[in-house]
Amino acid sequence: SSGINAEYGGARLCGAKIAVFKHNDVADLERVIRKNIVMGQERTRRPWRKILIVVEGLYSMEGTMCDLPAIVALKKKYKAYLYVDEAHSIGAMGETGRGVSEHFNVDTRDIDILMGTFSKSFGASGGYISGDKKTIDHLRRESHAHSYAAPMSPPVARQIIASMTSIMHTDDGKRRLRQLAANTRYFRTELRKRGYIIYGDSHSPVIPMILFTLANICAFAKECLNRGLASVIVAFPATTMLGARARFCISASHTREHLDRVLDILEELDPIIGLKLSKNRKTSAFLDFWKHLIYKQ
């Protein structure tokens, strides 16, 4: 995801060795940690001073949540440090919108660094890093981004505080979180039932729908726009070559009518583009047409 790519660049700038594990695979993460502990540093074979595990709470391209309880257990087992990017989960997951740590009921004291953005759930700009006092003091002294950044404007700060207060401490905020969860369940259920291939966890408001090819995403975006629907499409190199997808981000402000309208547009586009590619589909006008043509010839 884009967040991990940014953190990957930051790790390279500080001179750290980077070891990648399979997406959301805790067993592979343990394999990578064990291998690096055994092998040590490349030239000297001395033990590593620190091991930092970096994950996203909610992966923006896959719609999957990290297995946070298992990762915390692994971190404790090997005395590593844990960095969780909550950009897409803060304000959207958990009973009071505190992200995947609240969703999984994980103590935030077990997470060494929590990072998030104010540009999504909070409707503002900027972001935050949280950790113990020693870590934050070090960042304030040494971080190039902090030293040369402009301060946050008072209206933006006020917007963030108001949004946090509303989400976490008011009945309206709790209602919005429940509505977001209900919208997510409904839209995911309908997409699967109709035969579209979607990724992600059932609780994730980020819903990628697989389109596979570059030709499909260009046609999809154009036809959606012609019908008054703005779409977010993603393709190589942000995905694999055949992993092109449309990404739906569900909001508490969406009504059932909004979601049904999107589903109706997808039904209109299936005979044109061929969107229902799941083995569980009941029917697909696009595939039925080609089967008929082949058998006729």
Side-chain angles (χ1 to χ4, degrees):
S1 293
S2 56
I4 290 294
N5 286 333
E7 286 134 15
Y8 185 94
R12 291 188 64 185
L13 285 174
C14 76
K17 184 200 171 183
I18 300 167
V20 180
F21 64 97
K22 294 177 183 178
H23 173 68
N24 222 15
D25 189 332
V26 178
D28 189 59
L29 171 59
E30 182 170 20
R31 179 191 64 80
V32 171
I33 292 174
R34 288 170 64 93
K35 177 183 175 182
N36 280 275
I37 289 175
V38 170
M39 298 302 294
Q41 299 184 38
E42 291 180 352
R43 296 181 183 177
T44 63
R45 299 305 173 194
R46 292 177 180 173
W48 297 100
R49 289 185 300 164
K50 291 183 177 66
I51 295 176
L52 177 65
I53 302 169
V54 180
V55 295
E56 287 194 53
L58 177 60
Y59 289 91
S60 60
M61 292 298 170
E62 303 294 330
T64 51
M65 289 183 288
C66 70
D67 189 354
L68 192 58
I71 292 172
V72 167
L74 203 62
K75 168 231 170 181
K76 291 179 178 179
K77 180 178 179 179
Y78 292 101
K79 295 181 172 57
Y81 296 86
L82 179 58
Y83 179 115
V84 179
D85 181 344
E86 290 258 42
H88 291 85
S89 51
I90 191 72
M93 309 294 299
E95 187 177 348
T96 60
R98 294 172 186 264
V100 291
S101 56
E102 185 178 49
H103 177 80
F104 288 112
N105 197 27
V106 170
D107 192 339
T108 52
R109 287 174 293 186
D110 291 330
I111 303 171
D112 300 283
I113 300 175
L114 274 167
M115 169 262 171
T117 180
F118 296 131
S119 63
K120 294 180 173 65
S121 297
F122 304 106
S125 63
Y128 67 89
I129 296 263
S130 63
D132 60 32
K133 186 176 186 301
K134 183 178 178 181
T135 301
I136 300 305
D137 286 346
H138 174 77
L139 288 174
R140 285 173 172 161
R141 288 194 311 269
E142 306 294 338
S143 171
H144 181 277
H146 182 270
S147 300
Y148 292 94
M152 184 179 287
S153 66
V156 172
R158 182 68 258 176
Q159 164 70 15
I160 294 165
I161 294 170
S163 298
M164 283 186 171
T165 303
S166 174
I167 292 170
M168 294 189 292
H169 301 298
T170 68
D171 292 338
D172 183 58
K174 293 176 182 177
R175 179 194 63 79
R176 287 174 180 269
L177 288 168
R178 290 194 298 269
Q179 184 63 47
L180 175 59
N183 286 348
T184 297
R185 288 193 298 270
Y186 173 75
F187 198 64
R188 279 187 173 276
T189 301
E190 286 298 316
L191 287 174
R192 281 206 177 94
K193 186 168 67 176
R194 295 170 189 236
Y196 303 100
I197 297 178
I198 59 172
Y199 285 173
D201 291 298
S202 59
H203 298 285
S204 168
V206 177
I207 307 175
M209 186 182 77
I210 303 304
L211 303 176
F212 288 106
T213 67
L214 288 170
N216 276 0
I217 66 167
C218 294
F220 180 84
K222 181 179 179 180
E223 294 297 333
C224 282
L225 194 61
N226 290 341
R227 290 163 173 76
L229 174 64
S231 59
V232 177
I233 52 175
V234 189
F236 182 83
T239 69
T240 58
M241 186 62 76
L242 293 178
R245 64 200 62 184
R247 190 177 67 165
F248 300 103
C249 294
I250 306 302
S251 165
S253 298
H254 289 141
T255 64
R256 186 61 58 89
E257 289 74 22
H258 290 149
L259 301 177
D260 286 339
R261 174 57 181 151
V262 175
L263 292 168
D264 290 342
I265 290 173
L266 296 180
E267 292 294 309
E268 291 175 23
L269 294 183
D270 178 51
I272 302 171
I273 304 172
L275 302 176
K276 296 182 180 181
L277 300 170
S278 170
K279 291 181 180 179
N280 299 323
R281 65 185 180 275
K282 292 182 179 179
T283 183
S284 169
F286 177 81
L287 293 176
D288 289 346
F289 169 76
W290 283 105
K291 285 179 182 177
H292 172 75
L293 186 63
I294 291 169
Y295 292 149
K296 186 177 180 180
Q297 290 177 346

